[in-house]
Amino acid sequence: MTRDTPGTTQYDRRTVLKAGFAAASAAAVGATPAAASGTAEASLEDWLGNVSNFDGIVDERGNSEVTVTVGAEGNNGAFAFGPPVVRVDPGTTVVWEWNGKGGSHNVLADDGSYGSEMLGDEGDTFEQSFDAEGVSKYYCDPHKTMGMKGAVVVGDGDVAVPSTDGSGSESGADGGAESAEDVDYDGWFEGVSNFDDTVDRTGESEVTIEVGANANEGGLAFGPAAVHVDPGTTVAWEWTGAGGSHNVVAKDGSYESEMQGNEGDTFERTFDAEGVSKYYCDPHKTMGMKGAVVVGSPTAGESAGGAGGSDGGGEDAWLYGLVGAFVTALLSPLLFFGLRNEKDGGPEGAGRSHGPGQR
């Protein structure tokens, strides 16, 4: 690996980054020297709110080089940095090392001061030296909404972080998922190897689901398989490029994407009505490539109507409506003449009764 002077971006051993990163990195953390002084900038409570593998700040002071795993187990898959938050001395070099899991990831500073390219091979690395005291937040762009975020705390300043329960997940991380535990998927996730529970994504206006996630003996899964969102949330399915070509097909036929296979391909759907919308990849459905979106109250049943489509009853709703309309059309003349006869006192009066003001 090639090392620059402290405070500049270090180059990945497999990837030559753009020269602009080096210039920007000179001010990466040094630009905010007051960040670790207990001010609002030093708070990580909101940043780590959905990072399921956060269990406190790992103290790495005294080490000149610290390694963070990219693709660590967390956030219902290999969608985490491990450890997500480290405390280091000024001048320390942080090395992010890919483990080859969870598809392709990158490392992007929240303030845009440094960033890696999209990498996915085991052993890929990216380095950054941190000179000035403060807090540097970073994330993986494709999996940010899933909780793949981290931070480097430089120096000894106080930093506000979420309280943890000692079990590897903080209060608030996936905390709302329990509210969707009562959803009965009626066997939908049988044979889906990456389904563990319903991932809470309430409170977010846009949620990303990976298409071609590593599961079902290959890149043949949606990741996460099931999400819980608020009504009005837009779900964006993003292709990883793994597992061949895939599509997203609603079980009730209310939405369907094209067959796509290139990394970065996307398909979006906004879910307005409460309920459950199940979907699958047509070529790989029998292999377990299935998913679900729980919208709003889990007790709303399998109907995520409106822009979100519907499932469970939605396939027959149009038929019931058509039959109802047909029956109403047949009965309407009979009801009409019956009412007139009753008002006129019998058939003899038909046609002689007038409403007010009529002749």
Side-chain angles (χ1 to χ4, degrees), residues 297-314:
S297 172
T299 60
E302 292 193 23
S303 177
S310 62
D311 186 23

Side-chain angles (χ1 to χ4, degrees), residues 103-287:
S104 296
H105 309 289
N106 60 358
V107 176
L108 296 179
D110 188 47
D111 62 3
S113 58
Y114 58 88
S116 77
E117 292 191 356
M118 195 71 69
L119 303 168
D121 294 333
E122 181 178 0
D124 285 341
T125 60
F126 170 72
E127 297 185 0
Q128 172 72 28
S129 291
F130 295 88
D131 286 340
E133 292 195 351
V135 177
S136 179
K137 297 182 289 187
Y138 63 89
Y139 59 92
C140 168
D141 191 31
H143 307 120
K144 180 181 180 181
T145 59
M146 298 174 67
M148 194 167 180
K149 297 181 287 187
V152 179
V153 180
V154 186
D156 305 326
D158 293 332
V159 180
V161 296
S163 60
T164 63
D165 59 10
S167 63
S169 61
E170 74 288 358
S171 58
D174 290 341
E178 294 180 359
S179 63
E181 286 183 352
D182 295 333
V183 175
D184 183 6
Y185 292 108
D186 195 23
W188 181 247
F189 286 113
E190 290 181 6
V192 180
S193 69
N194 67 321
F195 174 73
D196 185 26
D197 55 21
T198 305
V199 179
D200 182 30
R201 290 291 179 262
T202 56
E204 302 176 22
S205 60
E206 182 168 320
V207 172
T208 300
I209 295 177
E210 205 171 51
V211 181
N214 188 27
N216 302 313
E217 300 185 359
L220 304 173
F222 296 104
V227 294
H228 183 198
V229 303
D230 296 317
T233 300
T234 297
V235 175
W237 287 269
E238 183 168 353
W239 275 248
T240 65
S245 295
H246 309 289
N247 61 356
V248 177
V249 183
K251 181 173 177 282
D252 67 355
S254 57
Y255 55 90
E256 179 176 350
S257 77
E258 294 182 357
M259 193 70 68
Q260 304 182 102
N262 296 323
E263 180 181 351
D265 287 340
T266 59
F267 172 70
E268 294 186 356
R269 181 76 176 176
T270 299
F271 292 84
D272 289 331
E274 292 190 334
V276 180
S277 178
K278 300 173 184 174
Y279 63 90
Y280 58 90
C281 168
D282 194 28
H284 306 118
K285 179 181 179 181
T286 58
M287 302 177 71

